[in-house]
Structures are given as C-alpha cells and as structure tokens.
Amino acid sequence: MNQTELKELLDSLSLKEKIGQLVQLDGGCFGAGELATGPQAKLGIEPWVAQNAGSVLNVMGADNVRDIQSRHLGHSRIPLLFMADVVYGYKTVYPMPLALASSWEPELAQRCAQATAREAVADGAHVTFSPMVDVCRDARWGRCMESPGEDPLLNARFAQAYVRGFQGETPLSGAGVSSVPLGEQSLVSCVKHFAAYGAVEAGRDYNTVDMSRWRMVSDYLSPYRAAVEAGCGLVMSSFNTVEGVPSTANRWLMRDVLRDEWGFDGVTIADYAAVAELVAHGIAANDAEAAELALTAGIDIDMKTSCYANQIESLLEEGRLSIEQVDQAVMRVLELKNRLGLFEDPYRGLAELPSPDREGARNAARKSMVLLRNEVAAGDEAPVLPLRRGQRVALLGPYANSRDLNGLWAVYGDRDAVPTLAEAFSHELGEREFRWSEGCRMLSEDELADLGDFGSVSWIQGPSPLDDAAELARSVELAEWADIVVFAVGEHMLQSGESGSRTDLRLPASQCEWLSKVIPYAKRSVALLFGGRPLELCELSGSVDAIMECWFPGTEGAGAAVDLLLGNDSPSGRLTMSFPRSVGQEPLYYAAFATGRPAATSKHSGRFVSRYIDCPNEPLYPFGFGLTYGKVEYSAPGLSCDELSIKDLIAGKRVGIAVEVANAGKAACEEVVQLYVRDVAAAVVRPVKELKDWRKVRLEPGERKRVDFSIGLEDLSYVGTDLRKSVDAGLFEITVGPDSSCGSMVEFELK
Ligand code: BGC
C-alpha cells in the first residue's frame, strides 16, 4: 500500500478497530497455547478485543501462525503481527548475548542474527524482541546474560550488529525511509529495555533505577541510540523508573529523547504488563490513569494488559486523550505491517525451517568461551590446557551430560538437538581415554525449592534423580583413574535470566561441597563453567588448574568446548563484564570514576582512601580479560603526533596510534588489542579508562603484526552537565593492551 491508501485505511477504521491495533495479546486469546514470560493474570477483556487485536505475543510455528492468521482475517481487515522473544537464536541457539559479546566480533553477532531471522521468519515471526542492550554493571542482576555487558561502546556496536543481522540493511525508522519494503527474510528488531534497566538498585529485578540525567546520557543511552540509528523498527520501554517515573509513562524518555532528539518514528511497545504495572508503581490510581499516562508518554502498544483495550474509549470521551494521539499510534502500527508486506501477504515468509546452522553455532560458541586460568600443574612443564594426546580424561559434574546449554531466554531452542559434553568428548576420544559421570546434582532439593514454581517455565526440564553417595564414590574413582579431570559445573539455568537476581554469586553450595571432596583426588583439573553471569570464583581458582567460562553457549556449545580443550582452536574470548572477588564489590566495572582518594595513587597514606578493608577494589578477572594458547607480546604504542589543537580536531584531524603485537608462543591465537583513553582533567569527572576501539588479530606462532588505530573528536569529547558533548584542552592518557587492567600508556595533549 502507498501512504495515501494506508491513510485511507486508517480513516475507515472504527474506534474499536483502532484500539485493537494498540493491543498485544498472547496465544491463549487466539486458541493457541500460552508461553508465559511474565506474571499470569486474567485479562478481563471482551471478545471484540481479540477479534481486533493488532499483534500476538510468542506464538510460533508455521501451522499455528497460518491457522491464527486465517481465522483472524475471517473477522478483521487487518492482518495480525506476530512478535516473539527470539533473543539469541530460534531452534538453533547461539551463545547468549553476554557470551557472544565475549567474541568482541559484532560481525559474528550480525551473522548469528541473520541466521536466526531465517529460521524464525520461516516459522512465523515478524518481530523479535531483541537486541537487549542494557548496560549492566551488576552481576547480581540475572538479566546480564541477555546483554553484551558493561561497556557503552561495546554494547552500541553489538546493538547495531544485531539490528542489521535481524532486519538486513533496510532501516525501519528515520527520515525518508517509510516506504521501502523489508527484505523477505528480515525479522523486525525491537531494541529493549529503554532505558537503563541494567542499573536496577542492588541488582534486584524490576527494582528502581535512579541516576543523574548526566550519567544516563553519558553511559546508558548510547546502545539504544545505536540500535535506533541502525534502523530498528521498535523500541520497548523498560519496567524500571527513570527519575521517579517508570519508563512506560516517562515523557522525557519516550518523547523528548526517543522521538524528538533521536528522530525515532517506529513503533514503541510497553514491556510485558508494564502499562497496568503503573498502578502497582503508584503513579496511576487505576487502569484508566495508567492507559492515559502511557499513551500520552508515547507508548503505542500495550503488551498483555487490558488497559488500552478497556480504557481508551472512555478516556477519549472524557477528553483525557485525543483521537489524534490514538491515530498516530495506530498509523505507526499500520506502517510497520505495510513495510512487512502483510497487507499483500499475511502469511509472509512461512516456509519449511531451513536446516540448522550447526557450524555457525559451533564457531560462535568457540569464539565466546573465555579461558580465565591455565596453570602449569606440579611436575609438568606446560599449562594443563590444551589437553595432551593420550591423557586419560574424566569428565565430571552436573553439566557433563546436560542438554541445558541454551540458557533461559532461548525459549524456542531445540533442546533435544543439543549434544552433551559427554557425547562431544566421546566423538573425539575412545573409551580408553575418556570416562564420565554426572557426579553431583545441579542443585540440592532446598536450592531447587528456592527457584520457585518450575511449571510456569515450561521449557525447562526438571532435575534428574541421583544417588549422591554412589555418585561421589564414582567421581573419586574416576578422578583417581584420570590424568586430568574436567569438572563441568555452574549455575542452574533458572538462576539467571529474568527474575534471576542473586545475592550470592558463588557456585551452588552443593556443587562446591562435592568439588571440595573430589578435587584432592585429581592430578590435574580444569573447570568448565556454565551460567548466565560473572560468578565469584576466588575459591574455585584457588583449587583447580584451569577455568574456562563457557556461559550458556547454545546448541553447539559442547562441541565448541571440546574443540578448545583439545587445542583444535585457541580460546579467544574476552570478558565484557568484570568478575568480582566478592559480591560486595557490585556494581563493579572498569570504567569507574576516579575518586578524590583513589586507593592506588592517592598521596594519603594509611586508612583514609577509597577501598574496602576486607577485599581489593579490583575484580578477580577484569573487563577485556581472557587467555589464549599463544603468548602475545605488545610493543609500546606510538602516536602520529603528541599534541593537536582543538581546532584541528574539530576540523576532522585524528591521532594515529600504532602498536606491534607478536606471538611468542607455540600455538596460533587471536588477540583482542584494546584501546583505552583517559581524559585527565575535564569539566566533569571522567572514568579512569574508557574503551574507544579494539582490533581482533590472528597471529601464527612467531608472527608479528602492526595494529593501527586512530582517535578523533568523538573519542575525546564527553557529555557535560548541559547534556551536550564537548571537548577540552589538556592531557589524555592512551593505553593499548590486552585487557582493561594493563597495557602501555602514552600521553597526548590537546591544545
Ligand atoms: C521481558 C521482555 C520480553 C517480554 C515478552 C518481559 O517479561 O522483560 O524482555 O521481551 O517479557 O516476553
């Protein structure tokens, strides 16, 4: 349809038809099953609402979609839009976003998103609620698994990559793009959760966020903006408050920033039940006020509540909303449907599922795993990893034979297609070299009970019954038999993800106890860690020789881990969230501000500096950290000039930075060369370090490469108290190195 036809359609709609377009219901309302991703409540809506609803939440499957759409078109002129949480894979699951970001390869995320779109579109999705790019600096928050991590720049680059991967290169928002049709296999991307949801107080899910506007603009908004600039079709509001007003009712956020400043002209949607939750937040007295606040703030679609459905009509009658407000929101929904070509083909894209992208998933998982520790065991000459040929390997632990490698937000993942570690090892090693046992439960009965009702999370399998004493005896027997023990341990999948906040970041107590009984029998030991967040690893790192963070690596995670353990490839992942020594350090992130009494460099001696009495300030494993099987040495960075005038900088001049990296090790590896900048004195405090760029380079043994960077105005400017970017004269420290805690620094002056 062209714009005129679309406008004619809008004008011809009855009020009920219009309101329907602004309502999103789940499959239960259309006779399909319900996939619960939020609290269950009876909606209390009349039949006309489902008959006129504009979109459906989390119904997938080509047959299901065809059936619901054709029944819907029996009584509605407007096809339904199918939206779903296809977050990091559909049937084929890729590493969870915090893991995939550890690759430091946004292009890889783009390829994974593209392959995900192919599968999900074939099975009926039009829109995915992804990417989630909340900056998260607190590992207590279980949803950090869905995000690229703690850094604004890194999150922004991944945000763009995911959007382009899902949607293709055709932007869905922005000036002058409104009529370009979307590619056939494109999945419209909805960036979330706008805004700053990652900063919930004390890491407790759905909790308050309160920070200065300056901080929010400096550190928290840029990833969403990057997604908008890449042309994402939708933006989802977050559950949290921003300056005392929940995002869903926050006009500054949803209108002034998103629409007026960033020029977003796509669709906005409230997160699950967030409109009705304005009442629970205490900023609306009832559903009518909630609907009024949300629509006025700029929320187009109400997900899974009856507020818009039941209240808009009377709000219009009472003059509390105008028909223009409603029309604008409806038009945006119609435009999206039009861009998808749904008026011409309501069954868009439905097809047989393409064959699973197993190789892509395995490659992505290999690049996501982070080697955190690799020591030389007593009597050996080389680190314990990679495993040596002929060694007897015992694989022990609750993840040894588990198919739960997808993590909580892979709700459509094909669990049965996930090979286990035991299967992946058996594929590579014969019985004389490899034995395995589950060893211990993932969680004790009590720990499991803490997780609440499993029933509502239907895609998770319950625990397997184990005889603890017999398993322990078998573990000890296998540990004594083996030359090296690989412990496959970690969080239960329900311990992270939405509503997965924790105040204890250690491995489950039952696993720790079992490890302490078995490790003494192991000649050499490696821990493969599964889970959705940075854990507290001081105890584990003091008792095993090697640790590899595997996260929730997805469909091909087991094979990928075995590839790395056997040295078929070198680990190359780097952390994108700091790993604490103690939960008490959270929130913990490398780009902290200098205080007036910095612990390391303060002139004060003695007690009165900014530090803990009982723990170092530094993380156990810092942002950017990860080991490889190579041994990379860095030269000191060289600058193209050591001073520059602000005038030249503004005119576009840049400072070149070159460094040489050489692999002095015996194995090929990939190095993530990281560039950080510190603005030594500015009008507002600046972080002690800020990531400005990075390069990933492959180095054969003995190979040396020059790596070039350049920094310009964007990299040297910062957000001032007037919320605008500015740049000042003065010193800058430029550090190039293998992670955020080290590297060689050179100074540069802006005059
Ligand atoms: C989550 C969103 C998700 C939505 C729909 C909410 O509970 O916060 O991330 O997209 O449910 O399932």
Side-chain angles (χ1 to χ4, degrees):
M1 267 191 225
N2 61 33
Q3 282 302 108
T4 322
E5 289 166 331
L6 213 53
K7 179 76 180 49
E8 280 166 13
L9 174 64
L10 174 75
D11 292 340
S12 72
L13 297 181
S14 69
L15 185 56
K16 283 196 165 48
E17 283 177 308
K18 286 182 181 175
I19 295 172
Q21 290 308 304
L22 308 184
V23 176
Q24 177 160 109
L25 301 173
D26 66 24
C29 303
F30 299 91
E34 188 177 339
L35 197 154
T37 57
Q40 301 307 284
K42 279 261 160 284
L43 279 188
I45 46 169
E46 290 174 30
W48 70 264
V49 183
Q51 279 168 14
N52 290 285
S55 55
V56 190
L57 165 67
N58 280 332
V59 169
M60 290 291 297
D63 292 343
N64 257 342
V65 168
R66 191 185 302 279
D67 174 49
I68 293 179
Q69 188 73 291
S70 71
R71 280 192 284 118
H72 185 74
L73 291 172
H75 48 248
S76 170
R77 306 184 259 172
I78 308 176
L80 280 164
L81 199 51
F82 286 80
M83 306 200 192
D85 287 290
V86 181
V87 180
Y88 47 94
Y90 179 57
K91 294 285 179 207
T92 307
V93 180
Y94 297 93
M96 64 183 215
L98 185 61
L100 197 52
S102 306
S103 70
W104 292 58
E105 279 185 44
E107 322 77 60
L108 179 64
Q110 184 163 340
R111 287 200 298 277
C112 295
Q114 202 173 11
T116 300
R118 276 199 295 274
E119 282 192 357
V121 168
D123 231 14
H126 302 139
V127 173
T128 176
F129 297 127
S130 182
M132 185 281 219
V133 292
D134 305 330
V135 168
C136 18
R137 297 175 161 183
D138 193 331
R140 290 172 296 182
W141 193 50
R143 301 199 78 168
C144 59
M145 66 163 300
E146 297 171 57
S147 155
E150 71 179 52
D151 187 67
L153 175 75
L154 194 115
N155 283 26
R157 291 201 183 160
F158 273 89
Q160 281 184 333
Y162 276 108
V163 172
R164 294 199 178 119
F166 287 129
Q167 284 191 184
E169 298 291 334
T170 314
L172 271 172
S173 160
V177 295
S178 61
S179 55
V180 186
L182 205 62
E184 267 172 29
Q185 290 187 326
S186 307
L187 184 59
V188 176
S189 164
C190 172
V191 69
K192 67 189 186 187
H193 307 88
F194 188 61
Y197 184 23
V200 283
E201 282 181 3
R204 177 158 56 80
D205 213 355
Y206 318 124
N207 203 5
T208 305
V209 171
D210 192 21
M211 64 174 76
S212 66
R213 206 172 265 209
W214 165 71
R215 187 75 190 278
M216 185 169 315
V217 174
S218 300
D219 292 352
Y220 284 83
L221 295 188
S222 51
Y224 312 106
R225 185 173 195 160
V228 166
E229 284 173 0
C232 68
L234 289 90
V235 173
M236 184 188 289
S237 68
S238 57
F239 288 125
N240 55 277
T241 54
V242 165
E243 300 178 329
V245 181
S247 304
T248 303
N250 196 309
R251 285 187 225 188
W252 171 69
L253 210 53
M254 303 305 302
R255 286 198 184 275
D256 301 356
V257 175
L258 183 64
R259 299 239 184 251
D260 299 345
E261 195 183 324
W262 298 357
F264 179 70
D265 54 14
V267 174
T268 52
I269 182 166
D271 200 352
Y272 194 106
V275 176
E277 288 170 13
L278 296 177
V279 178
H281 267 292
I283 69 147
N286 48 42
D287 284 2
E289 275 187 28
E292 182 185 355
L293 282 170
L295 197 79
T296 307
I299 298 291
D300 298 331
I301 299 181
D302 174 4
M303 184 197 297
K304 268 274 330 202
T305 89
S306 60
C307 294
Y308 279 17
N310 292 350
Q311 307 298 334
I312 287 182
E313 198 163 349
S314 43
L315 288 168
L316 285 169
E317 281 163 14
E318 291 164 26
R320 288 159 65 183
L321 288 178
S322 70
I323 192 65
E324 289 74 29
Q325 280 174 290
V326 173
D327 281 355
Q328 276 174 7
V330 175
M331 190 61 178
R332 282 193 283 265
V333 176
L334 296 180
E335 264 166 4
L336 179 59
K337 293 185 176 184
N338 194 35
R339 295 289 300 283
L340 277 156
L342 289 180
F343 292 108
E344 288 75 26
D345 179 10
Y347 307 101
R348 170 191 190 266
L350 296 180
E352 289 230 334
L353 281 177
S355 48
D357 175 30
R358 289 194 165 274
E359 199 37 56
R362 187 154 174 162
N363 176 48
R366 263 195 308 262
K367 285 173 174 274
S368 300
M369 295 179 180
V370 187
L371 183 62
L372 297 174
R373 179 179 167 83
N374 192 14
E375 296 295 305
V376 180
D380 285 355
E381 283 176 3
V384 291
L385 291 178
L387 301 175
R388 298 190 252 296
R389 291 202 172 278
Q391 269 182 332
R392 283 185 302 222
V393 180
L395 170 70
L396 302 175
Y399 274 104
N401 200 37
S402 169
R403 298 194 195 285
D404 284 326
L405 304 186
N406 289 340
L408 193 71
W409 266 117
V411 295
Y412 302 103
D414 186 354
R415 184 179 179 277
D416 295 338
V418 179
T420 70
L421 280 167
E423 289 164 353
F425 261 115
S426 305
H427 197 257
E428 300 290 331
L429 304 178
E431 252 176 66
R432 283 179 40 209
E433 297 167 293
F434 174 69
R435 296 182 190 169
W436 71 273
S437 176
E438 214 167 317
C440 87
R441 295 161 197 267
M442 191 81 75
L443 295 175
S444 67
E445 298 285 335
D446 288 349
E447 287 164 336
L448 258 183
D450 288 345
L451 299 179
D453 179 14
F454 261 59
S456 64
V457 189
S458 50
W459 62 97
I460 309 276
Q461 285 235 330
S464 66
L466 275 187
D467 175 343
D468 296 336
E471 278 298 326
L472 178 61
R474 172 93 177 130
S475 300
V476 169
E477 184 197 316
L478 288 184
E480 285 184 312
W481 165 82
D483 297 311
I484 185 160
V485 181
V486 176
F487 292 102
V489 291
E491 287 188 306
H492 186 284
M493 157 176 184
L494 283 177
Q495 289 183 295
S496 61
E498 187 165 348
S499 292
S501 298
R502 294 181 67 191
T503 60
D504 181 346
L505 297 181
R506 289 170 299 183
L507 278 174
S510 43
Q511 292 185 39
C512 291
E513 199 190 319
W514 168 79
L515 279 169
S516 70
K517 290 180 183 155
V518 183
I519 289 175
Y521 296 93
K523 296 171 200 75
R524 299 170 191 82
S525 53
V526 179
L528 297 185
L529 260 188
F530 293 83
R533 56 153 60 81
L535 289 174
E536 217 183 281
L537 297 177
C538 288
E539 213 178 303
L540 188 69
S541 68
S543 54
V544 293
D545 300 309
I547 303 178
M548 189 159 76
E549 177 57 75
C550 300
W551 312 109
F552 284 118
T555 308
E556 285 295 325
V562 171
D563 285 344
L564 297 177
L565 291 177
L566 295 178
N568 299 339
D569 201 354
S570 169
S572 58
R574 301 297 159 97
L575 299 179
T576 60
M577 249 185 112
S578 310
F579 271 48
R581 291 167 194 272
S582 153
V583 68
Q585 294 174 296
E586 298 291 344
L588 179 67
Y589 49 98
Y590 82 93
F593 299 121
T595 67
R597 296 182 180 188
T601 57
S602 179
K603 296 189 189 78
H604 301 275
S605 60
R607 181 180 177 89
F608 300 104
V609 292
S610 179
R611 66 178 185 90
Y612 298 104
I613 288 165
D614 54 0
C615 178
N617 287 0
E618 291 71 33
L620 181 64
Y621 299 117
F623 175 86
F625 176 76
L627 303 171
T628 69
Y629 295 152
K631 185 167 179 284
V632 179
E633 291 166 353
Y634 283 66
S635 73
L639 298 182
S640 61
C641 55
D642 50 19
E643 58 177 60
L644 193 69
S645 72
I646 292 191
K647 205 168 129 236
D648 285 347
L649 187 76
I650 292 172
K653 277 227 165 117
R654 300 177 69 82
V655 186
I657 301 141
V659 70
E660 282 204 351
V661 283
N663 183 359
K666 295 198 178 84
C669 66
E670 283 186 306
E671 178 70 3
V672 180
V673 183
Q674 300 162 39
L675 173 83
Y676 296 89
V677 171
R678 176 178 189 180
D679 187 346
V680 177
V684 290
V685 293
R686 305 304 312 134
V688 290
K689 263 184 186 179
E690 277 181 286
L691 181 72
K692 292 296 175 185
D693 205 355
W694 69 88
R695 297 274 185 284
K696 198 164 176 182
V697 284
R698 186 172 171 84
L699 293 166
E700 298 301 322
E703 195 179 7
R704 168 180 296 273
K705 272 187 186 160
R706 178 184 153 128
V707 178
D708 284 291
F709 296 99
S710 80
I711 51 179
L713 180 62
E714 180 62 23
D715 307 300
L716 300 179
S717 48
Y718 62 89
V719 176
T721 47
D722 59 358
L723 305 185
R724 288 175 198 286
K725 285 221 161 174
S726 58
V727 63
D728 307 322
L731 268 192
F732 290 84
E733 293 174 358
I734 297 172
T735 306
V736 181
D739 67 62
S740 63
S741 73
C742 57
S744 304
M745 191 265 282
V746 279
E747 283 184 346
F748 159 81
E749 189 164 7
L750 204 56
K751 294 209 157 171

